[in-house]
Amino acid sequence: MNLSTRQMRAFLQVARLGNFTRAAEQAHITQAGLSILIREMEKQLGCRLFDRTTRVVTLTPSGRRLLPVVERLVTDLDDVAAQLGAEGDEARQTLRIAATPLVSSHLLPQVFNTFRQAHPQVNLRLFDADLRDVEAMVTAGDADMGLGFFFKAAAGLERTPVGRFHLMRVASSAEDADEAPVIGTAPWSALRSAELIGLPSGNPIQKVIDQHLMATIGRADAQRPTFNFFGTLISMVEAGFGTAVMPTFALAACRRHRVRTDVLVKPKVGLDFYRIVKRGTHETEAMQAFVATLEKALPALSR
């Protein structure tokens, strides 16, 4: 026996209406097609389900026994289908984004605000975590996308550049943050006599910085004081503990402190900012719209 949902729905329509013609109309099939479905069902069950006369169609005793079972099966199926559909709609309308702390606190609030104004139906969720945890969340499916400086593509993830930042010098300043110039320029040679502080040497961004320090001024200061987060690093610069090099994505955070920021030139070094997703992920309209908003906003946030 292999009853189809189409057969069961046809059986319910005839049982409820007691008429093949009206049941066929409501099922949007021909009366002949409806009759075939019922006959096939009766053949599989090995019994008659309806007594037919010229005027009325009634359930047989076998049909009456079958009716509550079929009603329950079809109702349960419809309920589950509706729930799954609602969950799918909610998933399509919820966008989960994982990003590193400074990106989360200083870049994304403005982007989120712009996006929500244009797409109020999308529920945005932000998870701030370190770079490895961002990758882990996207890999596990706990986040729809991750944002950060991913210099290497991790297994199972696809990365796409969505913006570009440059390395800058951050030095203490006696001027108030709101009076300081937006951003200037300085050659790498200006760091030759500076007391440098930075991120731990194993940090991917710090590795790039150290490569250019060695190439331009012949020093990377392996013994320099280090801090795990850009926010801490900026505060330590403000307090006079030294000078730091970091990407211009930290500009928004720097403007909250009494520090001077200068893009390093000769050479000017760019770093790609990436979006990562799980390989094979179907990109929803919400994901595409958010990336478009992000790509439009990032240039203004890096100058």
Side-chain angles (χ1 to χ4, degrees), residues 12-299:
L12 289 178
Q13 289 280 24
V14 176
R16 289 167 181 167
L17 297 173
N19 185 284
F20 271 79
T21 301
R22 292 202 303 273
E25 290 174 353
Q26 290 202 8
H28 304 291
I29 61 175
T30 64
Q31 184 174 337
L34 182 66
S35 297
I36 290 172
L37 288 174
I38 297 300
R39 284 201 300 270
E40 289 175 348
M41 191 173 180
E42 290 176 329
K43 183 177 180 181
Q44 290 185 59
L45 293 170
C47 63
R48 288 180 61 82
L49 299 175
F50 295 100
D51 286 328
R52 303 164 177 84
T53 67
T54 55
R55 293 187 176 183
V56 68
V57 178
T58 59
L59 286 165
T60 64
S62 297
R64 287 194 295 271
R65 289 180 61 188
L66 181 65
L67 179 61
V69 177
V70 172
E71 286 179 327
R72 185 169 63 252
L73 289 171
V74 172
T75 299
D76 288 348
L77 180 61
D78 287 344
D79 289 346
V80 170
Q83 292 171 8
L84 293 176
E87 290 171 3
D89 290 340
E90 182 181 357
R92 285 188 289 272
Q93 294 299 307
T94 299
L95 189 55
R96 303 165 302 167
I97 298 169
T100 50
L102 198 68
V103 173
S104 298
S105 60
H106 289 88
L107 288 186
L108 292 185
Q110 183 174 331
V111 176
F112 271 38
N113 183 50
T114 301
F115 180 82
R116 289 177 64 181
Q117 290 180 14
H119 305 276
Q121 77 283 5
V122 179
N123 178 30
L124 290 173
R125 296 182 183 175
L126 176 62
F127 306 99
D128 53 346
D130 64 33
L131 207 63
R132 290 183 180 179
D133 286 341
V134 169
E135 287 183 330
M137 291 184 71
V138 175
T139 300
D142 296 326
D144 299 306
M145 71 171 70
L147 299 171
F149 293 94
F150 301 97
F151 294 102
K152 295 181 180 180
L157 297 178
E158 295 178 359
R159 64 175 188 149
T160 307
V162 293
R164 189 170 178 81
F165 296 94
H166 295 90
L167 291 180
M168 66 177 178
R169 177 186 68 176
V170 182
S172 62
S173 172
E175 299 175 317
D176 291 336
D178 56 358
E179 296 177 353
V182 175
I183 188 167
T185 59
W188 283 84
S189 58
L191 297 171
R192 186 168 282 115
S193 59
E195 184 176 349
L196 296 177
I197 61 176
L199 301 170
S201 58
N203 182 284
I205 295 177
Q206 190 62 51
K207 288 182 179 180
V208 174
I209 294 170
D210 286 346
Q211 289 172 4
H212 287 280
L213 286 171
M214 285 298 299
T216 55
I217 64 173
R219 57 175 283 210
D221 262 351
Q223 303 303 315
R224 64 178 178 265
T226 61
F227 307 91
N228 290 320
F229 302 104
F230 281 112
T232 307
L233 197 57
I234 295 167
S235 295
M236 297 304 289
V237 170
E238 181 183 27
F241 279 83
T243 297
V245 178
M246 62 187 69
T248 51
F249 88 103
L251 270 174
C254 288
R255 288 171 183 150
R256 298 173 182 266
H257 299 266
R258 288 192 300 176
V259 295
R260 177 179 177 84
T261 52
D262 300 285
V263 172
L264 288 164
V265 295
K266 299 180 181 181
K268 188 176 182 180
V269 180
L271 299 178
D272 284 330
F273 185 72
Y274 289 94
R275 178 207 66 165
I276 58 171
V277 297
K278 193 172 182 179
R279 191 174 300 280
T281 295
H282 169 70
E283 292 200 20
T284 63
E285 291 183 5
M287 293 174 68
Q288 294 171 356
F290 181 83
V291 170
T293 302
L294 180 67
E295 289 178 331
K296 185 177 180 180
L298 285 182

